[in-house]
Amino acid sequence: MIGEANDLAAPEPGLPLIVPLKPLNPIGVTAEAYQTVPILCYHRFGGAPNKMSVSPGNFAAQLDWLAKNGYTVIRLSQLMGFLQGREALPKRSVVITIDDGYESTYRHALPALRKHNFPATLFVYTDFIGAGDAVTWPQMQELVSSGLVDIQAHSKSHRNLIERQAGETDERYRQNLDAEARVPREVLEKRLPVQVRHYAYPYGDTNEAMLDVLARQKYELAVTVNPGGNGFFAQPMMLRRTMIFGDHDIEAFKAKLQISRAVTP
């Protein structure tokens, strides 16, 4: 806030500074543009090259680039004050999220996050924990203990929430949607020192029935995979998220960081 009020990257000895006593522009709107906050979405790191897997080297290079170019990686929870018009965010704010709960988050992402002290949110679907190449409970304990990784809900089973299963009645469908929100929250809060209030829709899909479930269960933020940045007016339960794929070079990565949009007459 002090830097932006004085148009300075760092204070200089002997130079008077304006010190704001409250946020000067909590919604990030100027005459020319309004601030948007990109939420980046990763899935796994390393392993066989494929679109959904970012190499550890590329991930490290992306974080290095953010650090060197004045970006502030914020926690997903910090978006709430911005969306409510109460708290200003740094102009170049970005959120890092990781979906599913692959073990590579622990093995490759955590060391890179630690290098820069960058926070991230890991969305896990609880049926996956400890199976195959998924994170284990001890690994998740360490992720949380790092102070950098917040673990939140990505459903129970990773089913597509808007598609009916064979023979699924209306009542059974509602019960199943309830479980897809309730079970991961209960399991994660029982086993980890976390409060689960954020949700990532499997495949980015949701509908009115699922939105009602999340509202009843007191979830506060939920994310899709619709790309783009989030302005102060963004719907908290339909936040945009931009996928980062394994074939993105640094120029493609930079193009995903939408931190403002022009105001059109």
Side-chain angles (χ1 to χ4, degrees), residues 14-57:
L15 182 69
L17 293 175
I18 297 170
V19 179
L21 300 181
K22 62 179 181 179
L24 299 179
N25 186 6
I27 59 175
V29 175
T30 68
E32 296 80 25
Y34 60 88
Q35 180 179 6
T36 60
V37 180
I39 303 174
L40 307 182
C41 177
Y42 295 87
H43 283 78
R44 60 196 307 174
F45 306 92
N50 65 73
K51 188 173 183 179
M52 302 304 290
S53 181
V54 174
S55 73

